[in-house]
Every structure is written in structure tokens, then in C-alpha cells.
Amino acid sequence: MNDPTNPPPAEVPESAQSSKGKTLAVVLGLAGLALVASYFGLRRQESLPAEVPAIPMEPAGETAAAPPAMPETSLPERDAEVRSLASRLSPEPELARWMGEKDLVRRFAAAVSNIAEGSSPRTVLGFLAPTGAFQVTQVDGTTVIDPASYARYDTVARVIGSVDTQVAASVYRELKPLIDQAHAEIAPPGQTFSSALSAAVQHLLKVPVQEGPVEVVSEGALYAYAAPEFEDLSPAQKHLLRMGPQNMQLIQAKLRELNSSLGLPPVADR
């Protein structure tokens, strides 16, 4: 049985202008937050690494034979602009706090790539940690996830629900060259960011919404899903499931809106 509580860490990437920098907050906020679902495991006591591993500050592997589509910019230098204008995306105060992280463009690109592959982006999205510990309860002699565990993700779901998807899509199209620059540092040859984003959205939308209690089984200090259809999900999909049915439905609805607004391939049936 797979261990949903301790997925392998996500790989960290090895590796314009004023108007574009000013609007970067919108696309980073929506897509990054929509992918937040992928963070936590079913721990009896959850904890985070003290620090998120450093993300390289300069791209690697550049050659004169393959010039970028636009003059490359120092991506971390956009952070101050992103933070100062993050309020355009949502009036929720949590967004400004989350935008206090460094190297936001690369975090966004890395999170999308991780989700597209089904792995956990916890290394780059660790700042989205909920408070409190994972909890279980007993229902008719069966161990199930306590609804209080789902409530820890209510803030994230609320912020996502407050985002204007049409605005985010418009800004995404304007900033795509900048995002492509970050993606090119970590992407396999020939893979575009658009294809990675589409794969990530499709992957999360395949997670079934479970109404009612979700049974888990104890495995030492951790828990695993009792139902094979849940235990066999990817680490990224399991993390979304752990947010609870109401939060899942809100996030998946926003992902569907984003998918349509960006003109990505239609969502496949589950």
C-alpha cells in the first residue's frame, strides 16, 4: 500500500517591462493557489521543513544557438512588483502574506511541472501550510477523517474562490513569455508550459469528490486510505482529496473556469 503521508519530495528546479511585472501577481496567484491542493499528507502530527530549499537564481544551460523568444530578465527581481500589486487578484489578506516568498515565477513554473507529473510540489509551495494537526474520528467503529481536518484548508479555498478567472487568463496571455522563460529552465526538451499547465489541470480534475466519511487505516504514525481508488491516486491527487469535498469542489470549479478561459484542451471525462 502506498504511503500518502510521506510522498517523495518534489524536485526543485536546477537550474518586460514594467507593465508585465506589475500584472504578474494575477497569474501567479490563481495558478499557484489552484495547485495548492497538492501539499499535505495524512499525518497524525503534521510538520514542515524549517526552510524551503533554495531555488536557483539564474537560469542554466543557455546557448547562443538557442536564443530565448524575448530578452531574458532576472526573474527574482520581479518579486517586489508581484508583492506590491498582489491585491489586484483578491482582497483576501492571506494572498499578500503568501506572496512574501522569494522567486515567485520559478515557484509557479516548478509547481505546475510537479503537478503535471503527479508528484507533490510541497518543496516550492510549503508556505501554504494549514495550521493544526490531521485528525481522525470513529464512525460506527470505523476510523475516518475528521471534518476538522478539512476545515484547515478553508482559507485556501476561500482565496481561490475570490479570484477573477477572466482577469487571470488575460494577464497569463500577456506574461506567457516570462513564464516560458522559467519553465524552460526545468522542462524536458520540447515540452511547452501550456502543455504542462493543461496536464496539471486535467490531473487534478480527475480526482473524484467523496461525499461522506472517508475511511483511513493506521500505518504506524501515519494513515493510508482504506479504499484502493483513493490509495492508488498520485501524491498530487491525494493532497487535493485531503482538502475535503466542499473545498475540492470549489477548487475544481475554479480550475474548470481557468481551463476554459485559457482555451486549453477540453477537460476529459473521469
Side-chain angles (χ1 to χ4, degrees):
M1 180 175 290
N2 296 330
D3 181 0
T5 69
N6 190 21
E11 294 183 1
V12 182
E14 289 294 333
S15 29
Q17 301 27 333
S18 176
S19 64
K20 293 186 177 183
K22 290 181 178 180
T23 52
L24 181 56
V26 178
V27 64
L28 289 177
L30 177 63
L33 293 176
L35 296 172
V36 66
S38 59
Y39 183 64
F40 289 100
L42 301 175
R43 298 180 182 274
R44 295 191 182 193
Q45 185 68 41
E46 297 191 56
S47 60
L48 288 174
E51 294 183 358
V52 176
I55 298 175
M57 301 303 283
E58 295 298 336
E62 300 172 19
T63 64
M70 62 175 288
E72 293 202 354
T73 183
S74 177
L75 298 175
E77 290 181 0
R78 300 294 180 183
D79 285 347
E81 297 169 273
V82 171
R83 296 186 192 106
S84 68
L85 296 169
S87 60
R88 289 187 176 185
L89 177 62
S90 169
E92 298 290 344
E94 289 81 8
L95 180 60
R97 177 170 59 83
W98 295 336
M99 285 293 181
E101 297 299 314
K102 298 179 180 179
D103 214 353
L104 294 169
V105 182
R106 287 195 177 103
R107 287 181 184 273
F108 170 56
V112 170
S113 295
N114 292 154
I115 296 295
E117 296 170 356
S119 60
S120 167
R122 63 187 304 164
T123 304
V124 292
L125 294 182
F127 59 92
L128 291 165
T131 58
F134 173 77
Q135 300 178 50
V136 298
T137 188
Q138 297 294 313
V139 175
D140 297 328
T142 300
T143 302
V144 300
I145 299 177
D146 192 316
S149 289
Y150 300 147
R152 298 175 302 154
Y153 299 94
D154 288 352
T155 296
V156 169
R158 185 181 74 251
V159 174
I160 292 173
S162 70
V163 169
D164 186 323
T165 307
Q166 293 296 326
V167 171
S170 176
V171 174
Y172 168 77
R173 295 186 185 99
E174 181 183 355
L175 294 175
K176 192 170 183 300
L178 189 64
I179 299 170
D180 284 343
Q181 176 183 328
H183 179 68
E185 298 175 7
I186 59 174
Q191 184 193 75
T192 66
F193 181 79
S194 293
S195 65
L197 179 59
S198 177
V201 171
Q202 297 271 352
H203 193 65
L204 292 180
L205 289 177
K206 290 179 181 178
V207 182
V209 176
Q210 173 63 41
E211 299 289 353
V214 176
E215 183 179 359
V216 293
V217 293
S218 177
E219 291 190 347
L222 307 175
Y223 288 96
Y225 292 108
E229 62 267 28
F230 294 150
E231 184 60 23
D232 291 341
L233 293 173
S234 74
Q237 291 173 324
K238 288 176 182 175
H239 296 329
L240 178 57
L241 183 66
R242 290 174 197 126
M243 299 186 77
Q246 292 184 340
N247 289 331
M248 268 190 62
Q249 288 173 330
L250 178 58
I251 289 170
Q252 288 183 328
K254 189 62 66 174
L255 284 171
R256 289 180 184 277
E257 290 179 17
L258 179 62
N259 195 79
S260 176
S261 296
L262 292 178
L264 299 176
V267 177
D269 292 335
R270 285 201 287 261

